[in-house]
Amino acid sequence: MDLVESLRNKLTLVDGLRIAALLACVAPLAGSVIIAVLGWWQERFVKSVALIAVILSFLGGCGVLGFYSPMAETKRIYANRPMESVILAREELMILGRDQDTVRIEALWGLDGISAVLVWLTSLLTLSSVLISMRSIRERIQEYYMLLLLLAGGAMLVFLAFDVIFLYIFFELTLVPMFFLIGIWGGPERRYAARKFLIYTLAGSLIGLVALVAYVVQVRELRQAARLDVTVSRGKLERPSDRITALPDLAETAARLSRSSEQDSELREKWERLQKWTFWGLFLAFAIKVPLVPWHTWLPLAHVEAPTAGSVFLAGVLLKLGTYGFLRLVFPLLPDIVTGWGGSLLAVLAVLGIVYGSLCAAAQKDIKRLVAYSSIAHMGFCMLGMASLNTIGLAGSVLEMINHGLYTGGLFMLVGAIYERYHTRSMLDLGGLAKRLPVWAFFMVGMSLASIALPGLNGFVSETLCLAGMFYKSITLSVLGAFGIVLGAWYMMTMLRQVVFGPVRVPVRYQEEDAIQDLDMYEWMALALPMALCLALGLYPKALLDIIHPDLEGMANLYQMLRRGG
Amino acid sequence: MDGIYRTIIDSWKLILPELTLLSASAAMFVGSLLRVPRTVWPLVSLGAITCGMLLWVGEHGWLAKDEFIPSASLFITDPWRWLGRGIVYATGSLLVLSAWQQVSAAYAGEYFACLTSLVAGAGLVVAANDLVSLFLGLEIVSLSTYVVLYISRRDLSGLEATIKYFLLSIFSSAIFLFGVSLLYLAVGRTNYLQIRLQLQDLGNNPLVLVSGLFVIGGLGFRLAAVPFHFYAPEVFAGTHPIGAALLAVMPKVVGFLAIYQVLTEIYAAAVATVALNIQVSSLLLLTISVLAGASMLLGNLGALQQDNIYRLLAYSSIAHTGYMLVGLAAGAKGQLVAGEQALVFYLGAYVLMSVGVFVGLLCVRQGEKLAEYIDELSGLARSRPMLALCLAVGLLSLTGLPPTLGFWGKVLLFLAAWNAPEGQPTLRYLAVFLAVNAAIGAWYYLRVIGVMYLRQPVRSYDRAVDIPAWLACGIGTVATLVLFFVPGLWWGTVARAFSGTVGP
């Protein structure tokens, strides 16, 4: 007992958080390596190793939330400093420059409320993806699980990276496993879809990299020119860090530059020009990833061709990388642009995405395609909330990332289940499935209602918050965006009426009553957790809101200050 | 006078590693008449390189002696040369490993003798402090390369490739020599330091600029920089993969270190137009920028259309010459990253990843038949997974994608060009151009990876074990991956060497 007691005294919350975060991201990566090594001679272990890895990872993800939530409250004290995070680890990579004038390139791993909830979401969806793949993936299973786990680990590391280089690296790295997942285990058009996905996102992110590197270098010069190098803060001389790639430092420098350039017109001009160019580079990178209309054309194709788990992961996590990129890089690093025309541009594009995505979804006969287009609309809500730049909208936006992951992930799993059973996804071939597959129908209705934003389910909370946030900025855009909910109800309900209810209509081969089994154990488990969370977060969203709120408040305060100053 | 005398007498100590290699090579030529097992020759070669490396590591002691007079010595050792020679020996040993089992027993003696002397010549080039010793080193490299190319593949296409390379290489040597002779005409000296002193007093002399252009042209052949690149695709495709691997890395290491040497130690001192205060070196750097842009673009566009994997890699090596020339053009004044350091960093990375790819391809074989076309690699991920993984890592690194060393290489080159001193706006465009080209390059590298991973296998390949080649491939692959996570190891070494400290 003494040992436990002394350990409890020694281990702080931060240590717990470190261990949990490490478990969450290392478990899938380690699982991937074990599968790569072991699988050559013992293929039957592959599934169990993958399952154990993702369960551990999910425990780690829950641990991250659990250990972080008591800390969230104390962070309110620092709410005025942008991107205050819990540092998990740092590693020095290179020292550049000469003599006294050196800078450090450092890998910085941290965690704040936003990354905590996203890590948790990723670990949850990884668990579901592995469960849903247990039956459906039958060939090359070793490579499959290797890539899936690699993808999960890489995505989590994006959320934990607090320096631009590693954030970018892991952002980019997630492309590779996804490319193979679509290209090897996808549908008939898989190769074209995989290539289009890769080229689109790679082109975007390479431009983003150029913008980012140029920004990092130029900001340093501007900082020197503006003599922000030595500042007095909280009564003592503070030398700025030489870590040019650390995100918190960059965000703070950007805020200071914006504030101090108000008096200095020459500096102002330079700083605004830099922000403008960087904005276009980063905008392109993340607009393709989110995707914002008109850069969305890769998405329906990739979703339709990807295997079920690939779709789940693509919608649930990879699209979030785009919105996360906006929230983490574009918004803090380019404050003047986003409070100015950049924010308006994003808001307009978001509304365009909502309306266009919904209309496209309404026109689809293929259910998977319908869900894919509805994703575009939902990501539009997410961007709309973010572009409002106030705490309400930002909170709605982050919550929408989580919620969209839960119900769209669920919908893709359900569509995948149907395709496996009836080998069709067309609404014309299917009908009245509630009579044949009651459990499936229950989940389908539940997930669809969450996606429609029915009050009491999670979609309602986040989309209302997004619209409410935008209401403070532009009533017109907010009203236009609200049409998305109406349209969403229309296309989802039409789909439900056709497929789930009404007279039974299935392909001829499966006419007999018990030709097809309802959801099996694995699918049931994969779906139950997201469904339960859809309900729980609809009834008690405060659980997550409390965690993300302090960080968003800090961001919103900064923008308010800048807008007032300007 | 005593100092000069001692310097001349002792200068052989400066090239002790190269002398060791050359004597080993001579002994192997004689010994190749004997009938001994094939494995003896690569072992001797590797042993000689190891001895050379030991002497090289111990070379700190001879540096910076008080009585050493640089203006009298044919060779010199300073920190960056020390590092450069290290790269040469390391590249040499990887090449020996990869050729270990590939050369027929009848010619193994000559092959490895030539490879050893090639490494020695490359070392001499790096250590040179005099135009004569530079040319001597370059010719030793060229002569050995001809023989190595011919021995490794002795059919018609191998012969054709060798002849092509031979003729163009002779031509490039002549151009180089012409440039050197023009310089000699202008200053009448061959020692670098003496030339430098003369040039400072010389003032305006067009000969210097012209000679610089010829020297860059002559060395540009070795780098396969556009417009001196025509031979590369033909020769890469015609010769044996070990020959292609050698051509992909060794001439680049030699050529870049030689160009850097000549630019900084000779032409940096020359003034083109006194009135306008334009430096010869800045005109030459502008030329290099143009070569860099052209090499990147044409290399990448050429590679887009290839079906033969070796032709593709040849064009990719042209493009990589372009990337590295960007570093050279960025010069030493970069605020964060000096161009030459980025160049040498990339050079090391390039050697590792090229060896990984070429030696990996070497292992894709069925008896004597090697894979030549990209389609033949179909489904390699299923038939030979580890091999496909090594190739994929190498190709990703050539693309410049994480998690490979190539990523840091491209980032540093970009930073060097972007952050070059004011007054050189062309370099910013060049930096952006580099990024655009990296994106073009991604298409054809990823296409090869796609073929290996996404298609069904069409042919089966031998599972024969070529342990030394595997070792070389493994070293290249593992180092490419590991150094991504600890780039500071390699970067620190490079940065220290150029700031004047020897040692890892």
Side-chain angles (χ1 to χ4, degrees):
Chain A
M1 269 302 112
D2 278 356
L3 186 70
V4 176
E5 200 62 29
S6 64
L7 264 181
R8 193 174 294 160
N9 291 336
K10 270 189 192 139
L11 284 176
T12 57
L13 273 180
V14 179
D15 291 323
L17 193 61
R18 278 199 185 115
I19 294 167
L22 196 69
L23 188 65
C25 62
V26 168
L29 292 176
S32 176
V33 172
I34 291 173
I35 290 174
V37 176
L38 271 187
W40 298 127
W41 52 281
Q42 283 293 349
E43 209 168 49
R44 61 202 164 95
F45 289 144
V46 167
K47 284 183 183 175
S48 356
V49 171
L51 206 54
I52 291 170
V54 290
I55 289 174
L56 285 178
S57 169
F58 180 58
L59 289 179
C62 292
V64 167
L65 270 198
F67 283 113
Y68 186 81
S69 52
M71 277 185 237
E73 202 47 42
T74 57
K75 277 189 64 175
R76 279 177 193 278
I77 307 162
Y78 301 109
N80 281 328
R81 297 186 66 182
M83 237 185 278
E84 184 72 27
S85 68
V86 182
I87 304 293
L88 298 176
R90 53 176 49 171
E91 182 214 346
E92 188 182 296
L93 291 172
M94 284 189 270
I95 298 176
L96 302 181
R98 58 187 75 206
D99 306 332
Q100 300 303 310
D101 189 21
T102 55
V103 294
R104 214 173 284 273
I105 291 190
E106 202 176 60
L108 181 64
W109 305 101
L111 213 116
D112 67 356
I114 306 165
S115 27
V117 291
L118 284 169
V119 165
W120 171 73
L121 173 77
T122 311
S123 67
L124 169 71
L125 287 179
T126 317
L127 178 60
S128 287
S129 305
V130 167
L131 284 172
I132 205 84
S133 307
M134 283 291 159
R135 290 278 165 83
S136 61
I137 299 297
R138 290 185 200 86
E139 53 173 22
R140 300 174 80 172
I141 58 168
Q142 182 206 356
E143 287 158 283
Y144 179 83
Y145 287 106
M146 205 174 89
L147 288 169
L148 192 61
L149 294 183
L150 197 66
L151 182 60
M156 275 182 229
L157 287 174
V158 176
F159 297 131
L160 294 177
F162 268 71
D163 65 289
V164 284
I165 300 243
F166 269 80
L167 195 141
Y168 172 81
I169 285 175
F170 285 101
F171 181 83
E172 193 92 315
L173 210 58
T174 52
L175 289 183
V176 181
M178 197 66 215
F179 170 75
F180 288 125
L181 282 180
I182 299 176
I184 300 179
W185 292 274
E189 289 271 300
R190 57 179 179 270
R191 262 196 235 145
Y192 175 62
R195 207 177 289 160
K196 189 165 178 179
F197 164 73
L198 190 76
I199 296 297
Y200 257 64
T201 25
L202 194 64
S205 52
L206 278 176
I207 296 171
L209 175 68
V210 173
L212 209 52
V213 173
Y215 177 85
V216 166
V217 174
Q218 296 291 93
V219 152
R220 180 170 164 274
E221 278 176 18
L222 274 187
R223 193 181 72 183
Q224 285 170 341
R227 297 184 196 288
L228 288 175
D229 269 5
V230 180
T231 45
V232 181
S233 154
R234 289 179 209 154
K236 45 181 185 179
L237 269 182
E238 207 176 69
R239 278 193 59 78
S241 73
D242 54 355
R243 298 172 291 151
I244 50 168
T245 55
L247 262 174
D249 300 17
L250 278 175
E252 186 151 353
T253 310
R256 275 191 193 170
L257 275 174
S258 287
R259 243 173 281 156
S260 63
S261 65
E262 274 159 19
Q263 282 92 39
D264 186 344
S265 65
E266 192 190 351
L267 182 67
R268 181 102 211 145
E269 193 190 330
K270 275 188 192 162
W271 172 229
E272 280 190 344
R273 195 170 58 219
L274 173 62
Q275 287 190 66
K276 187 177 75 186
W277 285 106
T278 315
F279 178 79
W280 283 120
L282 290 179
F283 171 78
L284 211 59
F286 298 129
I288 291 172
K289 195 85 181 183
V290 169
L292 288 173
V293 174
W295 292 278
H296 66 286
T297 53
W298 62 269
L299 180 106
L301 191 67
H303 265 312
V304 170
E305 297 303 324
T308 302
S311 293
V312 172
F313 218 87
L314 187 59
V317 179
L318 292 198
L319 301 192
K320 274 50 183 201
L321 296 186
T323 46
Y324 181 78
F326 273 112
L327 194 63
R328 188 62 96 208
L329 291 178
V330 178
F331 279 55
L333 300 192
L334 314 168
D336 292 321
I337 295 282
V338 289
T339 49
W341 53 268
S344 317
L345 175 76
L346 287 177
V348 170
L349 285 176
V351 169
L352 192 67
I354 294 173
V355 176
Y356 181 80
S358 303
L359 289 175
C360 283
Q364 300 306 320
K365 292 290 169 239
D366 182 330
I367 313 175
K368 205 171 183 185
R369 206 169 259 276
L370 180 143
V371 179
Y373 275 109
S374 84
S375 262
I376 297 177
H378 289 302
M379 295 321 280
F381 276 110
C382 183
M383 288 311 297
L384 191 68
M386 209 187 289
S388 73
L389 293 178
N390 50 40
T391 320
I392 301 176
L394 287 170
S397 169
V398 176
L399 217 50
E400 176 76 11
M401 291 190 211
I402 305 297
N403 294 340
H404 173 257
L406 293 175
Y407 54 70
T408 308
L411 283 173
F412 275 122
M413 288 190 251
L414 290 160
V415 178
I418 279 299
Y419 186 70
E420 253 163 59
R421 285 167 175 73
Y422 293 108
H423 299 283
T424 176
R425 290 184 301 244
S426 171
M427 281 153 64
L428 304 175
D429 298 341
L430 298 165
L433 291 185
K435 296 199 183 73
R436 289 289 172 86
L437 312 169
V439 182
W440 177 86
F442 165 74
F443 282 119
M444 190 69 187
V445 173
M447 291 290 182
S448 301
L449 290 180
S451 159
I452 293 171
L454 187 81
L457 290 169
N458 58 354
F460 173 72
V461 183
S462 51
E463 295 190 359
T464 314
L465 282 176
C466 287
L467 291 174
M470 191 32 91
F471 201 79
Y472 285 107
K473 192 171 173 180
S474 156
I475 296 176
T476 329
L477 287 178
S478 183
V479 169
L480 280 175
F483 270 111
I485 296 188
V486 181
L487 288 172
W490 176 36
Y491 61 75
M492 281 319 252
M493 287 300 192
T494 315
M495 190 269 288
L496 285 183
R497 180 177 54 90
Q498 196 127 357
V499 176
V500 181
F501 303 107
V504 176
R505 188 170 66 240
V506 292
V508 188
R509 263 183 298 167
Y510 311 105
Q511 284 297 357
E512 278 165 43
E513 192 82 26
D514 45 359
I516 292 298
Q517 299 289 313
D518 207 341
L519 296 188
D520 64 28
M521 196 52 192
Y522 288 123
E523 290 167 322
W524 203 89
M525 285 194 292
L527 280 159
L529 208 50
M531 188 67 244
L533 283 166
C534 279
L535 190 63
L537 290 178
L539 296 175
Y540 191 69
K542 196 166 176 294
L544 288 188
L545 277 174
D546 277 349
I547 291 178
I548 54 177
H549 200 262
D551 299 302
L552 302 174
E553 206 171 47
M555 277 180 79
N557 283 347
L558 175 73
Y559 294 126
Q560 213 171 4
M561 209 143 55
L562 283 178
R563 218 180 281 162
R564 213 183 296 141
Chain B
M1 280 318 279
D2 192 38
I4 294 176
Y5 181 69
R6 286 234 57 87
T7 303
I8 295 170
I9 292 293
D10 283 350
S11 65
W12 63 274
K13 287 182 185 167
L14 298 174
I15 49 163
L16 209 52
E18 281 76 18
L19 291 178
T20 315
L21 288 174
L22 282 175
S23 32
S25 164
M28 283 159 82
F29 272 121
V30 176
S32 65
L33 298 170
L34 302 172
R35 194 176 289 249
V36 289
R38 183 174 67 174
T39 326
V40 169
W41 304 118
L43 263 179
V44 172
S45 180
L46 202 60
I49 296 180
T50 314
C51 283
M53 278 180 116
L54 287 176
L55 289 168
W56 164 74
V57 170
E59 208 170 61
H60 307 217
W62 295 305
L63 287 176
K65 278 267 179 67
D66 287 341
E67 61 264 38
F68 180 77
I69 297 173
S71 62
S73 176
L74 280 175
F75 300 98
I76 194 169
T77 53
D78 51 21
W80 80 259
R81 282 187 163 86
W82 187 80
L83 179 68
R85 284 159 83 185
I87 298 176
V88 166
Y89 305 142
T91 313
S93 16
L94 286 175
L95 289 175
V96 171
L97 281 179
S98 59
W100 200 289
Q101 296 197 350
Q102 304 297 329
V103 189
S104 63
Y107 293 96
E110 285 88 350
Y111 184 92
F112 287 100
C114 283
L115 200 54
T116 316
S117 68
L118 195 155
V119 176
L124 289 182
V125 169
V126 182
N129 186 39
D130 193 294
L131 289 171
V132 174
S133 48
L134 176 66
F135 186 67
L136 177 77
L138 286 174
E139 281 311 288
I140 294 179
V141 172
S142 301
L143 288 172
S144 317
T145 312
Y146 309 145
V147 184
V148 162
L149 280 187
Y150 183 57
I151 290 180
S152 56
R153 182 167 172 181
R154 299 179 54 255
D155 56 7
L156 267 182
S157 73
L159 189 61
E160 185 192 335
T162 310
I163 296 281
K164 265 180 192 151
Y165 187 76
F166 173 70
L167 290 176
L168 281 163
S169 178
I170 293 277
F171 184 50
S172 81
S173 291
I175 291 180
F176 174 78
L177 211 50
F178 186 57
V180 166
S181 59
L182 285 179
L183 187 64
Y184 185 74
L185 191 63
V187 295
R189 297 283 193 281
T190 55
N191 182 285
Y192 290 171
L193 186 60
Q194 292 184 29
I195 296 177
R196 221 155 48 226
L197 293 173
Q198 292 282 324
L199 280 176
Q200 277 163 4
D201 304 333
L202 194 63
N204 190 357
N205 191 338
L207 274 183
V208 179
L209 179 62
V210 176
S211 80
L213 292 175
F214 273 103
V215 166
I216 288 177
L219 292 172
F221 267 107
R222 281 169 203 280
L223 305 176
V226 172
F228 316 110
H229 67 288
F230 292 104
Y231 71 91
E234 307 291 326
V235 176
F236 274 52
T239 186
H240 192 275
I242 47 171
L246 185 139
L247 280 184
V249 293
M250 221 24 159
K252 289 224 194 326
V253 173
V254 173
F256 273 111
L257 294 175
I259 282 201
Y260 169 67
Q261 192 177 79
V262 177
L263 275 180
T264 53
E265 302 193 351
I266 296 180
Y267 292 102
V271 180
T273 325
V274 181
L276 294 174
N277 196 21
I278 296 176
Q279 301 281 320
V280 165
S281 58
S282 63
L283 289 177
L284 291 181
L285 286 181
L286 194 66
T287 319
I288 287 176
S289 310
V290 174
L291 292 189
S295 303
M296 287 193 285
L297 188 66
L298 289 183
N300 278 321
L301 291 185
L304 281 179
Q305 305 168 3
Q306 302 307 322
D307 289 322
N308 182 313
I309 182 83
Y310 291 102
R311 294 181 72 92
L312 183 143
L313 287 172
Y315 277 108
S316 122
S317 95
I318 295 170
H320 276 83
T321 298
Y323 301 143
M324 287 187 263
L325 282 173
V326 172
L328 201 59
K333 295 201 186 66
Q335 217 176 11
L336 285 180
V337 182
E340 74 239 6
Q341 299 179 19
L343 161 70
V344 172
F345 184 92
Y346 201 93
L347 203 56
Y350 177 75
V351 168
L352 289 174
M353 58 210 190
S354 298
V355 167
V357 170
F358 277 101
V359 181
L361 282 175
L362 196 67
C363 300
V364 187
R365 62 193 307 164
Q366 199 175 29
E368 284 300 296
K369 174 93 176 66
L370 289 154
E372 275 182 44
Y373 290 91
I374 296 174
D375 290 341
E376 289 176 82
L377 298 176
S378 290
L380 197 68
R382 306 192 71 176
S383 50
R384 304 286 310 273
M386 283 314 275
L387 192 54
L389 188 66
C390 288
L391 282 174
V393 169
L395 289 167
L396 282 179
S397 186
L398 288 170
T399 321
L401 285 180
T404 56
L405 189 57
F407 172 79
W408 288 118
K410 287 226 169 69
V411 167
L412 287 172
L413 281 176
F414 180 86
L415 273 179
W418 182 267
N419 224 17
E422 295 289 320
Q424 281 180 300
T426 34
L427 279 172
R428 285 224 165 148
Y429 295 116
L430 207 57
V432 174
F433 198 59
L434 187 150
V436 171
N437 271 286
I440 302 176
W443 174 260
Y444 57 84
Y445 293 122
L446 292 175
R447 187 177 138 220
V448 180
I449 298 182
V451 165
M452 290 193 298
Y453 277 86
L454 303 188
R455 294 212 194 142
Q456 295 297 316
V458 286
R459 281 174 53 183
S460 63
Y461 289 105
D462 293 352
R463 289 196 167 269
V465 191
D466 179 350
I467 293 172
W470 260 111
L471 196 61
C473 184
I475 290 172
T477 310
V478 171
T480 304
L481 282 176
V482 168
L483 283 178
F484 167 77
F485 292 101
V486 278
L489 277 184
W490 179 223
W491 173 253
T493 313
V494 174
R496 267 193 297 277
F498 280 90
S499 63
T501 342
V502 171

